[in-house]
Amino acid sequence: MKLIAVVAAALQLVPVGGGRSLYLSCRGTGTPAVVFDSGLGVYSGTWLAVQKRVATQTRACVYDRVGLGTSSPAPPGRTSADLVADLATLLQRANVAGPYVLVGASFGGLDVQLFGATHPDDVAGIVLVDSLHWDFDRRIEKLLPTKLALQRRDELGLNRERIFYPQILASEREVHAALPLPDVPLVVIRHGIPFSTAPGWPSRAVEQLWLALQNDLANETPTPGSIVLAARSGHRIAEQQPALVAAQVEHVVAEARK
């Protein structure tokens, strides 16, 4: 019975206002707590292998934004500012005390950057896992033929979060306006396997852009962060090289404790 109670306490649906509830799962104990934020349309299970490793060192929490997993359905038109407000409320109401080490993958990296820039006192460290940069979508369209650019926009909109291309652009503008990040330990993990080799896709130019912007992400804190190459991974690094991601998260936790 005690084990069941512990498991039930670790898995929660937490009301965050507006009739919405978010799924939250925390493992382990210790501070700073680590909070993981997933890519666009990707539910919290993507972090499971990483979370299990990190939870041996400190409290590790995953959650689902609205529209994902068992969280409430998503209303349309939401941007990172709305998602960060939900996350701040979630952590407060679930009694997950800060400051936090925030870990964000892809679109979730925008949320992490915005949270860090707008809640600097609540952040102890940041890990960006193949995170979007605030200028990526504007600049990639200059590299793509019109047909591929429009196809990419349509594909980005195929998610249960009802976040479409205009909301992605708006989220990137929100991050740009809010920067810089606080002076906390920062690690940027980038993929080693290129995005796409579809006919007409300018793979080399896109990868050069991605690399340049990942380098820029590492300079969003006053003390520049480090860049780690996930050589055996495409964009889904947490699933393809979870031990590497966990090791970098644990490194930032250790730095935050100093």
Side-chain angles (χ1 to χ4, degrees):
M1 292 296 292
K2 185 177 180 180
L3 177 60
I4 293 173
V6 170
V7 172
L11 304 175
Q12 306 179 61
L13 274 176
V14 182
V16 295
R20 301 185 309 278
S21 294
L22 300 184
Y23 167 84
L24 175 71
S25 173
C26 294
R27 295 170 178 256
T29 59
T31 59
V34 178
V35 180
F36 296 88
D37 205 325
S38 304
L40 185 64
V42 180
Y43 91 115
S44 56
T46 190
W47 295 111
L48 183 59
V50 180
Q51 184 194 23
K52 285 182 177 179
R53 287 174 166 85
V54 173
T56 64
Q57 306 297 319
T58 194
R59 193 177 189 187
C61 300
V62 300
Y63 82 106
D64 284 319
R65 299 185 295 264
V66 290
L68 298 175
T70 56
S71 293
S72 298
R78 290 163 60 79
T79 66
S80 282
D82 303 301
L83 305 176
V84 165
D86 277 357
L87 177 56
T89 301
L90 170 70
L91 296 172
Q92 179 185 25
R93 294 188 177 178
N95 296 316
V96 180
Y100 315 102
V101 169
L102 300 176
V103 185
S106 193
F107 181 82
L110 290 180
D111 297 342
V112 162
Q113 292 168 68
L114 187 59
F115 193 109
T118 55
H119 299 75
D121 293 338
D122 293 328
V123 180
I126 295 173
V127 180
L128 297 175
V129 185
D130 233 29
S131 168
L132 281 181
H133 181 281
W134 62 264
D135 205 24
F136 179 68
D137 283 277
R138 183 187 69 86
R139 291 177 62 176
I140 192 176
E141 294 231 331
K142 296 180 179 181
L143 302 177
L144 300 179
T146 300
K147 182 179 179 180
L148 281 181
L150 294 176
Q151 178 181 329
R152 178 176 178 271
R153 290 187 186 189
D154 290 341
E155 290 174 351
L156 287 172
L158 299 176
N159 63 82
R160 292 179 56 198
E161 299 185 73
R162 304 176 74 184
I163 294 174
F164 307 109
Y165 187 72
Q167 285 79 52
I168 295 173
L169 289 179
S171 297
E172 291 170 344
R173 290 193 297 267
E174 290 166 352
V175 171
H176 184 212
L179 289 173
L181 295 176
D183 197 5
V184 297
L186 168 66
V187 171
V188 174
I189 305 175
R190 68 175 182 87
H191 67 251
I193 299 175
F195 279 111
S196 173
T197 56
W201 183 267
S203 181
R204 178 175 293 184
V206 170
E207 291 305 310
Q208 288 175 343
L209 172 62
W210 189 259
L211 173 59
L213 294 180
Q214 295 295 294
N215 290 340
D216 193 57
L217 287 176
N219 289 291
E220 286 187 348
T221 49
T223 302
S226 59
I227 300 176
V228 174
L229 174 65
R232 303 194 308 275
S233 293
H235 192 48
R236 302 286 286 266
I237 300 173
E239 294 159 277
Q240 294 166 346
Q241 289 187 257
L244 180 149
V245 176
Q248 294 305 315
V249 174
E250 290 167 4
H251 166 72
V252 170
V253 167
E255 289 296 306
R257 287 172 171 167
K258 291 181 178 179

